[in-house]
Amino acid sequence: MDDDSWVPPAVLIAVDLVIFTLRESRLQVLLVERGVDPFRGALALPGGFLAHAEEDLLAAAHRELAEEAGFAADQLHLEQLSVYGTPGRDPRGRVVSVAYLAITPRLPEPVAGTDASDAWWIPTDRALSPDTRLAFDHRRIVADGVERARTKLEHSALATAFCPPLFTISELQEVYEAVWGVRLDPRNFYRKVQSVNGFIEPAGPVRKTENGRPARLFRPGPRQALHPPMNRPPEPGASERRPI
Amino acid sequence: MDDDSWVPPAVLIAVDLVIFTLRESRLQVLLVERGVDPFRGALALPGGFLAHAEEDLLAAAHRELAEEAGFAADQLHLEQLSVYGTPGRDPRGRVVSVAYLAITPRLPEPVAGTDASDAWWIPTDRALSPDTRLAFDHRRIVADGVERARTKLEHSALATAFCPPLFTISELQEVYEAVWGVRLDPRNFYRKVQSVNGFIEPAGPVRKTENGRPARLFRPGPRQALHPPMNRPPEPGASERRPI
DNA sequence: GGAATAGTGTCTTTTAGACATTATCGG
DNA sequence: CCGATAATGTCTAAAAGACACTATTCC
């Protein structure tokens, strides 16, 4: 196997961003239309190659976040999702891509300062449908991101990242319903979410108007990991419970 | 930023393996003593560079698994843990390393067919202690692996991977106690583990001897994700429960 | 018999889930 | 008043946790 002339192969490193938000009560992902040729015209996740050999992966992700989606550097929390390095995944050569997950509160219609081609918020179920053509293996990356978001909602305070700095419990419930794709009982949700340690805390006796009775406002609590976790209702598909 | 002469930087790709097992009722990790110069003499995770530019990441991990730890190719399940690519992490240059997690049942004393330098099973708490010198950022990788194993034990049937094909409920409990670092009530554990869907299933009316009453044998069930999950006791550190 | 581990039963407390009821807004 | 949403209360069923007890082996 080894001989003296062997040197390890060098490959290209890319970062891809799965940026989620909530719009129209649906989980949506930011996609850009590719203007250059591998998959020109197809939708793709924001991302790109490392700028130089000394650039940190997370720094590259933040740079792409600013360049392609107009988000200020540390405006958003980025979390590593997974790595995608199958040899054939990029026709230009061997590319290993590190995917990052980011969450943002509701934003004004299009995306702020898009540098490159146009960027759109696309509902994840539409992005994942076979009708939508996504570049590279980005359909799988989006699917992994959705799955990650779903489980993180159970065990972490991630849901508050979808909300503005002050939010009502109904708004928080909307996040859970959209990401999990289920309906939850507002009364039980109300109780549950307040019984979990430092998940959310009251933000003054302030209130807010809309249609019915004004709701109290809350802000994210100090606790990042939720104990006990939020309970995701079981999928109706599989038969649960032991036979005896 | 862009100009026509710019080309993306190429970096070296490595894979590192976090291989866990249970020995002496403790969670242990496989480490090899480095025989070559960056960190020569220090302990490190098994791993290495891609063999060639077309090698798949998972295939590279399996190859290293065989070369450095003597495990047959698909004898062990590998799962991606995380990526480590901080610019200074390898003195030889820019290296991005993909870490994989693997679990193996108890094995005979040293490691089977170690090709390279010597390999040892080291208890994770010792590997993570400041006294132990680990190469590169491998202390962090081991720490991430332990954390991953802990949470996977809650929600997946991973614990059975620590056990031989047929095992007793006590043996399974030993896994949970070692990885979580807690004591569990054998009677409640017994009930709980059997009430979770397809987690484990009885393997004939067979039995086994040791010291007291013979125990029934079980084999891993079909279910990979556990519903409901196993409950990890809360750390005694933080004050739990809402104040009112 | 005793020591040791396996397995069962029972009780109490907590939690999840279903759902009635009251409260506070804008008309 | 009505409609709408927020917030609280109440009941029931399920699950978690504590722990007594019985069962089966070896000595």
Side-chain angles (χ1 to χ4, degrees):
Chain A
M1 281 305 188
D2 284 22
D3 72 80
D4 290 346
S5 64
W6 181 83
V7 289
V11 311
L12 301 184
I13 299 286
V15 295
D16 284 309
L17 301 173
V18 181
I19 311 171
F20 284 141
T21 197
L22 202 70
R23 321 181 89 232
E24 304 155 9
S25 297
R26 300 168 80 183
L27 181 65
Q28 310 215 6
V29 61
L30 188 68
L31 296 177
V32 300
E33 186 178 327
R34 284 184 61 83
V36 293
D37 204 9
F39 296 96
R40 179 203 298 259
L43 290 172
L45 294 168
F49 292 109
L50 286 192
H52 57 271
E54 300 308 316
E55 188 179 37
D56 184 57
L57 294 175
L58 189 59
H62 273 120
R63 178 179 49 74
E64 293 290 347
L65 192 61
E67 285 180 15
E68 298 215 45
F71 288 103
D74 39 321
Q75 182 177 345
L76 244 55
H77 172 74
L78 287 177
E79 160 182 326
Q80 200 185 101
L81 182 58
S82 196
V83 194
Y84 302 86
T86 308
R89 65 179 292 275
D90 191 318
R92 290 167 294 185
R94 185 67 193 272
V95 177
V96 169
S97 175
V98 182
Y100 285 85
L101 180 68
I103 311 291
T104 176
R106 295 170 182 77
L107 287 178
E109 262 307 320
V111 182
T114 51
D115 177 51
S117 10
D118 312 73
W120 294 282
W121 292 110
I122 309 281
T124 50
D125 44 7
R126 188 142 65 80
L128 292 175
S129 104
D131 303 333
T132 305
R133 187 163 150 266
L134 291 194
F136 309 106
D137 49 2
H138 287 190
R139 185 194 313 283
R140 153 146 298 263
I141 301 181
V142 170
D144 289 351
V146 171
E147 200 43 47
R148 173 73 68 93
R150 284 188 173 148
T151 67
K152 283 215 73 172
L153 242 54
E154 297 184 59
H155 309 289
S156 83
L158 184 73
T160 59
F162 283 95
C163 298
L166 295 182
F167 52 87
T168 69
I169 291 193
S170 305
E171 290 173 328
L172 192 61
Q173 177 176 348
E174 220 186 320
V175 173
Y176 277 90
E177 292 186 332
V179 177
W180 284 350
V182 297
R183 301 290 303 183
L184 301 174
D185 184 296
R187 301 159 300 192
N188 292 335
F189 184 84
Y190 193 95
R191 254 195 304 108
K192 171 67 179 179
V193 83
Q194 293 210 82
S195 76
V196 177
N197 314 99
F199 189 7
I200 60 174
E201 45 191 37
V206 200
R207 53 218 197 91
K208 194 193 160 190
T209 69
E210 195 175 310
N211 200 354
R213 170 178 178 175
R216 300 185 204 154
L217 290 176
F218 293 83
R219 81 178 108 245
R223 185 80 44 135
Q224 198 50 30
L226 300 187
H227 282 293
M230 300 292 289
N231 287 344
R232 169 144 63 138
E235 302 283 329
S239 65
E240 305 292 327
R241 307 302 137 199
R242 60 211 150 110
I244 201 167
Chain B
M1 281 304 192
D2 284 22
D3 73 79
D4 290 346
S5 65
W6 181 83
V7 290
V11 311
L12 301 183
I13 299 285
V15 294
D16 284 310
L17 301 173
V18 181
I19 312 172
F20 284 141
T21 197
L22 202 71
R23 322 179 89 232
E24 304 154 10
S25 298
R26 299 168 81 185
L27 181 66
Q28 309 214 6
V29 62
L30 188 67
L31 296 177
V32 300
E33 186 178 327
R34 284 185 61 83
V36 294
D37 204 10
F39 297 96
R40 180 203 298 261
L43 291 172
L45 294 168
F49 292 110
L50 285 193
H52 57 271
E54 300 308 316
E55 189 179 38
D56 184 58
L57 295 175
L58 190 58
H62 272 121
R63 178 178 50 74
E64 294 289 346
L65 192 61
E67 286 179 15
E68 296 215 45
F71 289 103
D74 39 319
Q75 181 177 346
L76 245 55
H77 172 75
L78 287 177
E79 160 182 325
Q80 198 184 104
L81 182 58
S82 196
V83 195
Y84 302 86
T86 309
R89 65 179 291 276
D90 191 316
R92 290 167 294 187
R94 185 66 193 274
V95 177
V96 169
S97 175
V98 182
Y100 284 86
L101 180 67
I103 311 290
T104 175
R106 295 170 183 76
L107 287 178
E109 261 307 318
V111 182
T114 50
D115 176 52
S117 10
D118 312 76
W120 294 283
W121 291 110
I122 311 280
T124 49
D125 45 7
R126 187 143 66 81
L128 293 174
S129 104
D131 303 334
T132 304
R133 188 163 148 266
L134 291 194
F136 309 106
D137 49 3
H138 287 189
R139 184 194 314 284
R140 153 147 299 263
I141 301 181
V142 171
D144 289 351
V146 171
E147 200 43 48
R148 174 73 67 94
R150 284 188 173 147
T151 66
K152 283 215 74 174
L153 242 53
E154 296 184 62
H155 309 288
S156 82
L158 184 73
T160 59
F162 284 95
C163 299
L166 296 182
F167 52 87
T168 69
I169 291 191
S170 305
E171 289 173 328
L172 193 60
Q173 177 176 348
E174 221 186 318
V175 173
Y176 277 91
E177 293 186 331
V179 178
W180 283 350
V182 297
R183 299 291 302 183
L184 302 173
D185 184 296
R187 301 159 301 196
N188 292 335
F189 184 84
Y190 194 95
R191 254 194 305 108
K192 170 68 178 177
V193 83
Q194 293 210 82
S195 77
V196 177
N197 314 98
F199 188 8
I200 61 175
E201 45 191 36
V206 199
R207 54 217 195 94
K208 192 195 164 192
T209 69
E210 194 174 311
N211 201 353
R213 170 178 177 174
R216 298 186 206 156
L217 290 177
F218 294 83
R219 81 177 109 247
R223 184 80 45 136
Q224 197 50 33
L226 301 188
H227 282 292
M230 300 291 290
N231 287 342
R232 170 144 62 137
E235 301 284 329
S239 65
E240 305 294 327
R241 308 303 136 200
R242 61 211 149 110
I244 202 168

